[in-house]
Amino acid sequence: MLFSLFFFDIYQITRFIKKSQSNYVYIPGGATYIKTLFACILMKKKFIWHIHDCHSNFVFVLIFKILNKFSQRIVFASLNSLNYYSGNDKNPKSIVLQSGVERIHIKLINKKDFIIGTLANFNPIKNLELIVKIAKISNKLDKSIKFLIIGKVWKSQKKFFLNLKEI
């Protein structure tokens, strides 16, 4: 049943792409967009593949190594993601284009505070627990050192976020 839904989804995506009459398809991610990738390959449609992560299971990395030759361009969000997926096999179609970050204004309580911060979506892969544990120890030693984690909390990561708050 699940296997047949996979092909039905590819069919639906193919219909949508045909209706859009676009020259290119932008695929913003890895494993979650594999159906869109297959639809583009089946349709011989030009696509730009944007890889954001630098950690994935070996099956997806293998799929990437096999299917990246079909893409018009591969955009990596960081040098880490480029190196993780490409290793020594650098593809001339690959570029690194880091995501833009909006300026965030934070009102400081004391201008003498020293702030250490990171900007990241909350998920276990980024090892934010380490930053929180360091902040906890640091707070005991020097109250002027503040730690800041700024990022989106996705519904799927709410439990992880709450766990970090407890730490």
Side-chain angles (χ1 to χ4, degrees):
M1 177 66 173
L2 195 58
F3 193 65
S4 64
L5 288 177
F6 180 83
F7 291 107
F8 180 73
D9 288 347
I10 291 174
Y11 169 73
Q12 293 286 76
I13 293 167
T14 303
R15 288 184 50 209
F16 178 78
I17 292 171
K18 281 181 185 173
K19 282 182 188 177
S20 74
Q21 298 180 358
S22 60
N23 294 328
Y24 290 89
V25 175
Y26 171 70
I27 302 176
T32 55
Y33 289 90
I34 198 76
K35 295 172 192 171
T36 306
L37 179 73
F38 285 139
C40 289
I41 292 170
L42 288 171
M43 296 174 66
K44 296 183 179 162
K45 189 74 167 172
K46 294 178 182 177
F47 63 93
I48 299 169
W49 199 354
H50 194 168
I51 304 291
H52 298 266
D53 63 343
C54 58
H55 182 276
S56 190
N57 67 52
F58 76 95
V59 174
F60 186 70
V61 174
L62 180 62
I63 289 170
F64 171 81
K65 288 186 184 291
I66 293 168
L67 300 180
N68 73 38
K69 64 181 170 249
F70 293 102
S71 69
Q72 192 70 22
R73 177 70 89 181
I74 304 165
V75 179
F76 289 95
S78 68
L79 282 173
N80 285 345
S81 57
L82 170 70
N83 292 331
Y84 182 78
Y85 282 94
S86 297
N88 294 330
D89 306 330
K90 301 295 186 242
N91 184 331
K93 295 189 237 176
S94 298
I95 62 168
V96 174
L97 182 63
Q98 294 182 333
S99 301
V101 176
E102 288 185 33
R103 182 170 223 168
I104 300 168
H105 295 281
I106 300 165
K107 188 174 181 181
L108 301 176
I109 297 167
N110 180 348
K111 291 190 180 203
K112 293 180 183 176
D113 288 345
F114 182 78
I115 298 176
I116 298 171
T118 187
L119 179 67
N121 291 330
F122 285 82
N123 69 52
I125 293 170
K126 297 185 178 161
N127 199 12
L128 296 173
E129 299 97 327
L130 179 62
I131 294 172
V132 172
K133 288 175 184 175
I134 291 170
K136 192 173 181 179
I137 293 168
S138 175
N139 194 325
K140 292 176 185 174
L141 302 173
D142 187 345
K143 300 276 186 208
S144 70
I145 300 174
K146 308 290 184 201
F147 286 80
L148 194 59
I149 301 174
I150 300 171
K152 181 156 180 74
V153 180
W154 298 98
K155 285 182 187 176
S156 62
Q157 299 301 332
K158 190 106 175 162
K159 185 175 177 184
F160 173 73
F161 174 74
L162 294 173
N163 184 39
L164 279 181
K165 282 180 75 170
E166 291 227 1
I167 295 173

